[in-house]
């Protein structure tokens, strides 16, 4: 994540002739595995740089002194926060709002405008690019002499450790490594508060998730969020009980997450990308792969209130050679996704009961541009809780770790 300040033309660090904004076709093809944010400053709203509004021209000496102190204490521009994830994600925050290479992707609809940070007001941008393009990114950073602006960058995620040597040897940059769960929680809470003027704009849920024809997205005002169960779905899954920004614990987790879904789909269907696996899943039917309650009982299991359409055994029908011959790759992908989301929903429900928490928010790069999985999670939570719990989701999915890293740069804990 980078917070871009107002600069003169001679301060520009990005060559607009060399880097191109992806075309619409390129954007549709890019995997959501690397993300970034940049904030562009508005000098007319920056008291520290002299862009004082007319109604504040009579500022007192105390105010001026405070502004001078803020200017001296804040780090130099541009400001970076980076979340370098694992197999499913790696996120990066660049300096320019127009040029970020040929595979970078700006999520314009997520921009936070008129945001004030550390005495500056501007727009926070969100940019991502695929993990496999990290070498090209580091080469660009070196060619554009980013190290002349910064020597140390705040970074979180496993990649902050994995690629630390590359940042040092290729780009001449040191990484200040931060705990990814600390950054995640800090980023979630800050982002939600940053859109507090419209409290329903960040958080949402799906109404009637069990009925595809009636299922609709609804806003949810995440007011008084504590306590909160935060389910982070990446390659694996971590479930956190959050009582305040600094008071949280990891309740449990599971190794069956987004990486499991993609890995199994690659084995079962021959696909090679996350997007391809999701597209297959969207076209498939899991009931031809899974054994249902009605396949065992001929209908509902009334004694325990289990409906006939409930999954009794994931992939249970694949025991039969005849049924194996009748399933498609799309069916296998869909059954894999249903298996993963049902498992996450069941574990989450048990954690919510044990911790006595009734707000559950799902986050993680697995959910980026993945409405199908969100609806399946919403359905799983609705089913396992008997309609008592909603699965809540956030618009700025995949960027919260980087937001937390940026905040650590500006306001060290």
């Amino acid at each position: 994540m980078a917070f871009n300040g107002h600069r003169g033309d001679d301060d520009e660090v990005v060559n607009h002739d060399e880097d191109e904004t992806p075309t619409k076709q390129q954007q549709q093809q890019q995997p959501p595995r690397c993300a970034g944010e940049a904030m562009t400053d508005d000098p007319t709203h920056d008291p520290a740089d002299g862009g004082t509004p007319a109604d504040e021209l009579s500022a007192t000496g105390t105010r001026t002194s405070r502004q001078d102190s803020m200017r001296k204490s804040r780090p130099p521009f541009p400001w970076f926060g980076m979340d370098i994830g694992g197999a499913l994600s790696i996120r990066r925050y660049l300096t320019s709002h127009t040029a970020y290479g040929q595979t970078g992707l700006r999520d314009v609809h997520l921009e936070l405008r008129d945001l004030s940070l550390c005495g500056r007001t501007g727009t926070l941008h969100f940019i991502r690019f695929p993990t496999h393009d990290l070498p090209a990114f580091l080469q660009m950073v070196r060619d554009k002499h980013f190290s002349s602006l910064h020597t140390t960058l705040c970074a979180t995620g496993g990649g902050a450790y994995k690629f630390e040597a590359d940042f040092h040897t290729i780009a001449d940059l040191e990484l200040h490594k931060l705990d990814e769960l600390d950054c995640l929680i800090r980023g979630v809470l800050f982002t939600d508060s940053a859109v507090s003027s419209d409290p329903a704009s960040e958080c949402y849920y799906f109404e009637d998730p069990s009925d595809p024809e009636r299922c609709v997205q609804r806003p949810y005002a995440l007011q008084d969020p504590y306590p909160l169960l935060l389910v982070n779905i990446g390659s694996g899954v971590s479930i956190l009980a959050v009582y305040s920004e600094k008071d949280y614990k990891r309740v449990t987790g599971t190794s069956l997450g987004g990486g499991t879904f993609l890995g199994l789909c690659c084995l079962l269907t021959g696909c090679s990308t996350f997007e391809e696996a999701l597209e297959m899943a969207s076209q498939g039917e899991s009931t031809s792969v899974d054994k249902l309650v009605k396949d065992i009982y001929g209908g509902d299991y009334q004694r325990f209130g289990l409906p006939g359409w409930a999954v009794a055994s994931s992939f249970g029908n694949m025991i039969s050679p005849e049924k194996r011959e009748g399933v498609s790759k799309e069916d296998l992908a869909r059954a894999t996704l249903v298996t993963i989301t049902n498992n996450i929903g069941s574990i989450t429900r048990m954690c919510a009961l044990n911790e006595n928490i009734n707000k559950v928010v799902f986050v993680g790069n697995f959910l980026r541009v993945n409405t199908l999985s969100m609806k399946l999670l919403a359905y799983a939570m609705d089913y396992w809780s008997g309609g008592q719990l909603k699965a809540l989701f956030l618009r700025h999915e995949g960027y919260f770790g980087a937001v937390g890293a940026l905040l650590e740069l500006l306001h060290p804990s």
Side-chain angles (χ1 to χ4, degrees):
M1 172 178 196
F3 186 109
N4 245 10
H6 176 69
R7 299 189 297 265
D9 293 339
D10 55 346
D11 295 322
E12 189 63 59
V13 297
V14 177
N15 187 329
H16 293 262
D17 294 329
E18 295 179 2
D19 296 305
E20 299 176 356
T21 301
T23 65
K24 182 177 181 181
Q25 182 179 5
Q26 287 175 319
Q27 292 176 357
Q28 292 173 343
Q29 295 175 346
Q30 293 307 320
R33 299 182 185 172
C34 181
E37 304 164 326
M39 185 153 182
T40 308
D41 194 37
D42 183 352
T44 62
H45 293 146
D46 186 357
D49 282 349
T52 312
D55 59 354
E56 295 182 358
L57 291 178
S58 59
T60 64
T62 301
R63 175 182 174 85
T64 301
S65 176
R66 183 172 67 250
Q67 293 167 357
D68 290 342
S69 176
M70 182 179 296
R71 183 190 303 111
K72 293 177 181 178
S73 63
R74 68 192 178 195
F77 271 154
W79 297 339
F80 293 86
M82 299 155 35
D83 183 357
I84 311 175
L88 281 180
S89 62
I90 172 172
R91 307 186 244 293
R92 163 112 285 112
Y93 302 83
L94 307 182
T95 60
S96 174
H97 67 283
T98 57
Y100 40 88
Q102 296 183 355
T103 58
L105 188 64
R106 175 184 301 283
D107 289 318
V108 178
H109 64 289
L110 296 180
E111 290 179 355
L112 296 180
R113 298 182 177 276
D114 299 322
L115 182 67
S116 295
L117 279 176
C118 207
R120 291 184 178 272
T121 300
T123 299
L124 188 62
H125 303 277
F126 299 84
I127 304 169
R128 52 193 167 98
F129 61 82
T131 303
H132 59 73
D133 280 343
L134 181 63
F137 169 80
L138 292 176
Q139 184 66 43
M140 182 189 74
V141 168
R142 184 178 70 176
D143 293 345
K144 297 182 183 303
H145 307 290
F146 277 29
S147 60
S148 66
L149 302 172
H150 288 275
T151 57
T152 302
L153 303 179
C154 286
T156 188
Y161 296 84
K162 182 177 181 179
F163 301 109
E164 181 179 17
D166 294 332
F167 273 86
H168 179 69
T169 58
I170 299 176
D172 194 25
L173 292 170
E174 301 293 334
L175 297 184
H176 176 42
K177 300 182 294 294
L178 304 167
D179 181 81
E180 60 182 305
L181 297 182
D182 285 341
C183 289
L184 170 67
I185 292 173
R186 197 172 184 184
V188 167
L189 298 176
F190 174 83
T191 305
D192 183 66
S193 65
V195 295
S196 58
S197 59
D198 184 8
S201 64
E202 178 66 25
C203 188
Y204 61 93
Y205 69 98
F206 291 97
E207 186 175 79
D208 295 321
S210 61
D211 188 341
E213 295 183 357
R214 298 176 56 192
C215 181
V216 293
Q217 181 177 315
R218 301 290 189 193
Y220 184 90
L222 193 61
Q223 298 172 343
D224 300 321
Y226 308 117
L228 176 74
L229 203 67
L230 196 63
V231 185
N232 186 28
I233 310 175
S235 299
V237 182
S238 286
I239 301 178
L240 313 174
V242 183
Y243 303 97
S244 72
E245 181 178 327
K246 298 183 181 298
D247 182 13
Y248 74 89
K249 64 179 180 179
R250 186 180 187 273
V251 178
T252 188
T254 173
S255 61
L256 306 182
T260 312
F261 165 69
L262 180 55
L264 288 176
C265 282
C266 289
L267 287 173
L268 295 171
T269 71
C271 71
S272 57
T273 68
F274 186 67
E275 290 70 25
E276 188 179 356
L278 280 180
E279 178 60 26
M280 284 186 173
S282 69
Q283 303 297 323
E285 177 53 66
S286 62
T287 55
S288 61
V289 178
D290 297 335
K291 186 178 289 293
L292 308 182
V293 169
K294 67 180 180 181
D295 296 328
I296 300 174
Y297 290 93
D300 299 343
Y301 189 5
Q302 296 181 354
R303 181 182 178 186
F304 294 105
L306 291 174
W309 46 260
V311 178
S313 175
S314 297
F315 284 78
N317 281 339
M318 296 299 92
I319 297 173
S320 167
E322 294 79 10
K323 292 188 176 181
R324 285 201 299 270
E325 293 178 359
V327 300
S328 66
K329 292 181 178 181
E330 290 77 11
D331 295 337
L332 291 171
R334 181 61 169 249
T336 302
L337 188 59
V338 169
T339 298
I340 297 299
T341 53
N342 273 348
N343 183 62
I344 294 173
S346 176
I347 295 174
T348 299
R349 169 57 179 163
M350 289 187 287
C351 290
L353 280 175
N354 291 338
E355 299 298 324
N356 194 27
I357 295 177
N358 58 18
K359 289 189 182 72
V360 180
V361 177
F362 290 89
V363 299
N365 206 45
F366 173 68
L367 299 176
R368 183 198 297 278
V369 198
N370 189 357
T371 304
L372 175 60
S373 293
M374 292 183 192
K375 290 182 177 180
L376 288 174
L377 281 169
Y379 168 74
M381 286 299 296
D382 183 73
Y383 173 76
W384 290 113
S385 70
Q388 297 301 305
L389 282 179
K390 290 183 175 65
L392 304 177
F393 305 96
L394 301 171
R395 286 197 311 123
H396 288 83
E397 196 44 71
Y399 288 107
F400 298 117
V403 174
L406 177 66
L407 295 176
E408 178 65 23
L409 171 69
L410 302 179
H411 308 286
S413 57

